[in-house]
Amino acid sequence: MTGNRRGSRRERGQVAIEYLGFIPLLLLVGLCAIQLGIAAYTVNQAGTAARVAARTAGQDSPAAGSPEQAGASAISGWLADGLSWDTSSGTEDVTYTAHVEIPSVIPGLDLLGKATRSSTMPRD
């Protein structure tokens, strides 16, 4: 009986070492999940900025202000810094394309690039 107790003590120590080896993998999976959530949120915000800018440009009202400024103020401030625009305008409609840089969870590692969304609205 005493032999079994000694073996279980050794196994408990080994489990702790295996757990310590597993922690970096858990952290990596967690960071990947957070990065995926940030990327999805950024794509959503790019769509919001494009819609607001196109809607503002379609109104042709001086009181509405600049379409780019309206689109930038419609999204989160920490994403608005990496916002750029492409526009195309016709006689009946206007199209705005928002490009928003996807922030990285790991600073200095820019693997995902930009989220791009377009919106077309009719002119009033």
Side-chain angles (χ1 to χ4, degrees):
M1 255 323 170
T2 35
N4 285 341
R5 287 187 181 174
R6 287 182 187 167
S8 67
R9 280 186 186 167
R10 279 191 238 155
E11 288 176 10
R12 277 190 274 177
Q14 184 175 348
V15 169
I17 291 172
E18 289 174 1
Y19 182 69
L20 285 176
F22 194 63
I23 286 177
L25 181 62
L26 286 175
L27 288 174
L28 181 65
V29 169
L31 284 175
C32 287
I34 291 169
Q35 183 66 63
L36 183 64
I38 289 173
Y41 180 72
T42 304
V43 169
N44 185 7
Q45 291 289 289
T48 299
R51 272 192 311 279
V52 169
R55 187 180 309 123
T56 303
Q59 291 175 353
D60 286 335
S61 169
S66 161
E68 290 89 356
Q69 185 180 15
S73 65
I75 66 174
S76 297
W78 59 278
L79 290 174
D81 295 336
L83 179 63
S84 61
W85 299 98
D86 287 333
T87 63
S88 78
S89 149
T91 57
E92 295 181 14
D93 59 11
V94 61
T95 300
Y96 268 78
T97 303
H99 306 281
V100 182
E101 287 192 36
I102 300 174
S104 177
V105 174
I106 302 170
L109 190 62
D110 225 4
L111 298 176
L112 297 176
K114 293 188 176 201
T116 301
R117 288 292 180 259
S118 294
S119 183
T120 302
M121 295 284 177
R123 291 190 179 272
D124 286 344

